[in-house]
Amino acid sequence: MRGTSSNPWKSVIDFIVEIIAEKTELDRMQIIESLEVPPDPNLGDLATTVSFQLAKIEKKNPALIANKIVEYLEQAAEKEGFIERIESKGPYINIFLNRGALAKFVISCVSELDTDYGKSDSYKGLRALLEYPAVNPSKPWHIGHTRNAVIGDTLGNILEHVGYDVIRLDYINDLGLQIAQITWKLMMDGEPENIEEKYDHFLGKIYVEVQEAFEKFESIEKEIREVSRKLEDLSSSESKHSLKMVTKCVKAQYQTAYRLGIYHDYQVWESAIAHSGLLEIAREKMMECENVVKLEEGEKAGCIVAKLDSIDDFKDMKDPNKVLFRSDGTRTYTGADIALQMWKFGIYPDPFFYQIFEKQPNGEEILRTALEGKKNGIGKVDLVFNVIGTAQAHPQKLVYSILDLLGYEEESQNSHHIAYEFVGLEETDFSGRKGTWIGYTCDEVLDKAKELAYEEVAKRNPDWGEEQNDQVAEQVAVGALRYFMLNASPDRKITFRWEDALDFNGDAAPYLQYSYARATRILEKIDAQENQEGNLSLLSAPQEFELVKAIAKLPEEILEVARGMRKNVWGTGFSSNRITSYSYNLATLFSRFYDSCPVLKAEPGLMAARLELVKSFRTTISNCLSLLGIPVIERM
RNA sequence: GGGCCCGUUGCCUAGUCUGGAUAGGGCGCUAGCCUUCUAAGUUAGAGGUCGCCGGUUCGAAUCCGGCCGGGCCCGCCA
């Protein structure tokens, strides 16, 4: 193998497949599928189970076949420097790579690509629109919302890494009943002069109070419903009050998002949807379909419904006529969701105007939909990913199926529900209404994590000042929380326990950050002039070799996650935990290397080679951390 | 009634799509390792009927069927 590759492990695999293909009758796909990593590195670096497949064809003992093939393969492999040896063990054919040659190849790939190492252009030219976390603008983010936001943000990073152009969208429901409830309360009581709390926390608590009254007293419910109706009228005082309140709330919520390194490109506001004419345009489009009709009689007389009895998945519904627009003409959630999904794909002309909501700390402006402003829409997108809890699997499926029913087959296929299970407590779930989230907001969890991290940082770095302690503690806290959310497979419920979320040892973000800091420290201690050419073929210790192999696999690992995003009956799978476990494993291998292979005390030639390896590791783990949105810490 | 997700050691969990060698980790527990690049680390050890039963297969945590337990979903609600 000559030169460098953006996917070194894949290059090694291709090389081996080529050799096997020359010596057997099997096609390349079969060979690729037969390749696996043996359970124990002592058995080899790669193995092939082609003997099982050949045994079926030739009707012979697989072990005998393996024995025979190995002889041929050894001859072929000898010509190139990449393979050390090939041996059979029973039916398995085990391949040992040349450690020095692989180290040389992998390290040159990483050093060439640097911060781009891990990226690929496999999906170049495709545009993906992601929606997350769409938290109601009436309360602070709790840890359930945090899971949504972190999954969405990380998914965006991964899609960007494999070549997608990614648009990050947030949805602001400023017309919901929850907003009416708070508006009612604030207009009655007047807004307090000095609110000491963060504004979203303040609203959240009011909301819990109002909700109680709302459920208890019919008269209050009636008043609030009236406020809700008035919110639809943009000239009403209720609407004007609510707009100020919601804007303030979203800005407060975004302070939390920014702490986590989460940014967006656009916001879609429900009030803009309601008054832009979007719903009317969408409704007309929908009614062009013969399966969307206005019912004349029966319980749903006057409603515009989608007839779903022809679709297998929905024929067991109580009534397969799904209401999209009520008899009074207003849209249902499903109706609005379909209209919005159509907008995302640009099925009809964009009716929105756009205004700057605010400038984010990353320097980028976030645009919100509005009724006046500039006409800079999102343009054509190929795929839409909605990050929504798994409880909404059925409604999401409805939206995509109806899209298909309307004739937008491709758009339906390209609609993805990224489903994740909820975060709960041992005894209860998080409920906005009951206020069970109090004490478990994202801000509180981050603050508590930071407090603990601060103690640790101060203990380890007695010479640091308060500012440096504080900064690192914040980075540790953010990393720990993001990792905690990503390391759980999205289809698994998270039971939130402080001792788990705040455990900074073992399988957690600080471990990764620490490995980076250690690598950085080694490199810092070397003066530039000592930078001599290292003989990379000296890197043959098992700890060095295992680290090299792990580094080599990053690009393929990211691609595997992207390829694994297939549609299922419940949504589209997204294995965020694969990236965390890859990164954890990489850091573990570095820790072992660190413990058993001294760098600065090694012989000059070996030292230079190990320095190169440390550099490669540092780049790779750094790229993993930025993919996961975990802050990189130089010293901790 | 119908559909979906989960069940792996004291606790948390990877692996299940695409079957393959002794089922990986982490927490906790036990015993080592800092005069050596940051011990948020590392080495070793104890701990498992992969929910249960059956089937397919040379081979099943993984595929198929049937159960059991936990959660979620099937509104002109929000």
Side-chain angles (χ1 to χ4, degrees), chain A residues 13 87 123 129 151 164 347 350 374 376 383 427 529 555:
Chain A
I13 298 273
E87 55 189 41
Y123 297 85
L129 177 75
I151 286 175
Y164 284 97
I347 284 174
D350 186 356
K374 287 186 179 167
N376 36 358
L383 293 111
E427 294 299 322
Q529 65 262 32

Side-chain angles (χ1 to χ4, degrees), chain A residues 31-103:
Chain A
I31 297 167
I32 288 174
E33 280 167 17
S34 81
L35 287 175
E36 59 187 48
V37 175
D40 180 346
N42 291 322
L43 291 167
D45 304 309
L46 275 164
T48 169
T49 53
V50 284
S51 67
F52 289 106
Q53 296 174 39
L54 292 169
K56 275 181 196 161
I57 302 168
E58 299 180 17
K59 298 208 159 61
K60 281 182 193 158
N61 184 337
L64 286 176
I65 294 174
N67 250 322
K68 217 168 165 187
I69 299 176
V70 163
E71 286 175 33
Y72 295 131
L73 291 183
E74 279 214 297
Q75 293 167 8
E78 257 174 25
K79 285 181 260 170
E80 307 275 346
F82 247 102
I83 293 176
E84 183 68 36
R85 65 180 197 279
I86 299 178
E87 55 189 41
S88 62
K89 190 176 173 81
Y92 294 93
I93 296 167
N94 294 328
I95 300 160
F96 294 80
L97 301 173
N98 183 309
R99 298 181 174 188
L102 188 74

Side-chain angles (χ1 to χ4, degrees), chain A residues 69-279:
Chain A
I69 299 176
V70 163
E71 286 175 33
Y72 295 131
L73 291 183
E74 279 214 297
Q75 293 167 8
E78 257 174 25
K79 285 181 260 170
E80 307 275 346
F82 247 102
I83 293 176
E84 183 68 36
R85 65 180 197 279
I86 299 178
E87 55 189 41
S88 62
K89 190 176 173 81
Y92 294 93
I93 296 167
N94 294 328
I95 300 160
F96 294 80
L97 301 173
N98 183 309
R99 298 181 174 188
L102 188 74
K104 204 169 170 182
F105 176 56
V106 173
I107 288 171
S108 63
C109 293
V110 177
S111 107
E112 167 117 358
L113 292 162
D114 198 42
T115 52
D116 286 335
Y117 180 63
K119 293 184 185 167
S120 64
D121 53 10
S122 307
Y123 297 85
K124 204 175 175 137
L126 292 172
R127 299 186 84 218
L129 177 75
L130 275 65
E131 181 190 303
Y132 61 90
V135 181
N136 242 293
S138 59
K139 58 192 168 201
W141 287 16
H142 62 56
I143 46 190
H145 302 127
T146 308
R147 189 177 196 184
N148 182 312
V150 170
I151 286 175
D153 183 59
T154 305
L155 172 60
N157 294 347
I158 286 168
L159 294 177
E160 276 170 354
H161 266 71
V162 296
Y164 284 97
D165 187 11
V166 173
I167 300 151
R168 297 156 195 261
L169 178 83
D170 196 7
Y171 166 79
I172 313 290
N173 186 0
D174 57 333
L175 293 184
L177 187 64
Q178 307 195 4
I179 302 304
Q181 287 173 309
I182 302 173
T183 305
W184 171 82
K185 176 79 173 167
L186 287 181
M187 287 182 78
M188 278 232 314
D189 295 0
E191 194 132 347
E193 290 278 314
N194 297 308
I195 302 169
E196 284 185 9
E197 278 174 293
K198 204 159 154 274
Y199 194 69
D200 49 345
H201 289 244
F202 162 75
L203 288 189
K205 283 172 192 164
I206 288 185
Y207 172 64
V208 175
E209 281 173 38
V210 182
Q211 180 60 32
E212 263 186 57
F214 180 86
E215 283 172 7
K216 218 163 155 187
F217 302 107
E218 251 180 58
S219 58
I220 291 178
E221 183 186 337
K222 214 175 152 191
E223 283 180 37
I224 290 172
R225 296 245 176 238
E226 181 58 18
V227 172
S228 179
R229 206 183 54 78
K230 282 185 178 160
L231 287 182
E232 301 267 347
D233 171 9
L234 294 187
S235 61
S236 70
S237 57
E238 283 81 358
S239 174
K240 283 176 181 154
H241 192 282
S242 151
L243 174 64
K244 264 190 221 159
M245 181 190 88
V246 168
T247 303
K248 229 167 134 182
C249 183
V250 173
K251 286 191 175 174
Q253 290 174 333
Y254 276 20
Q255 290 309 308
T256 310
Y258 301 153
R259 269 183 99 172
L260 290 167
I262 292 170
Y263 308 100
H264 286 88
D265 302 305
Y266 292 93
Q267 291 170 343
V268 178
W269 284 54
E270 182 62 27
S271 56
I273 292 175
H275 298 284
S276 60
L278 180 147
L279 291 165

Side-chain angles (χ1 to χ4, degrees), chain A residues 127 129 167-169 265-268 343 349-357 364-381:
Chain A
R127 299 186 84 218
L129 177 75
I167 300 151
R168 297 156 195 261
L169 178 83
D265 302 305
Y266 292 93
Q267 291 170 343
V268 178
W343 168 78
D350 186 356
F352 294 129
F353 291 86
Y354 293 83
Q355 291 178 2
I356 296 167
F357 178 74
E364 301 290 326
E365 288 167 346
I366 175 165
L367 297 176
R368 57 153 291 179
T369 58
L371 300 174
E372 50 195 44
K374 287 186 179 167
K375 270 296 206 188
N376 36 358
I378 56 171
K380 169 105 183 79
V381 306

Side-chain angles (χ1 to χ4, degrees), chain A residues 1-15 81-82 97-113 117 536-537 539 548-549 551-553 555 616:
Chain A
M1 224 164 323
R2 303 281 170 267
T4 61
S5 155
S6 64
N7 191 341
W9 191 248
K10 177 78 174 14
S11 302
V12 170
I13 298 273
D14 287 346
F15 173 73
F82 247 102
L97 301 173
N98 183 309
R99 298 181 174 188
L102 188 74
K104 204 169 170 182
F105 176 56
V106 173
I107 288 171
S108 63
C109 293
V110 177
S111 107
E112 167 117 358
L113 292 162
Y117 180 63
L536 297 175
S537 58
L539 297 173
V548 166
K549 279 194 286 183
I551 291 170
K553 288 176 185 172
S616 275

Side-chain angles (χ1 to χ4, degrees), chain A residues 151 154-155 158 418-419 485-491 557-558 560-566 568 570 572-582 628:
Chain A
I151 286 175
T154 305
L155 172 60
I158 286 168
I418 302 298
M485 293 299 172
L486 295 169
N487 198 34
S489 173
D491 54 14
E557 194 63 29
I558 297 171
E560 273 296 307
V561 172
R563 288 189 204 113
M565 294 189 60
R566 280 183 295 263
N568 292 303
W570 76 90
T572 296
F574 170 49
S575 310
S576 62
N577 55 313
R578 268 191 77 150
I579 303 290
T580 52
S581 37
Y582 167 83
L628 296 167

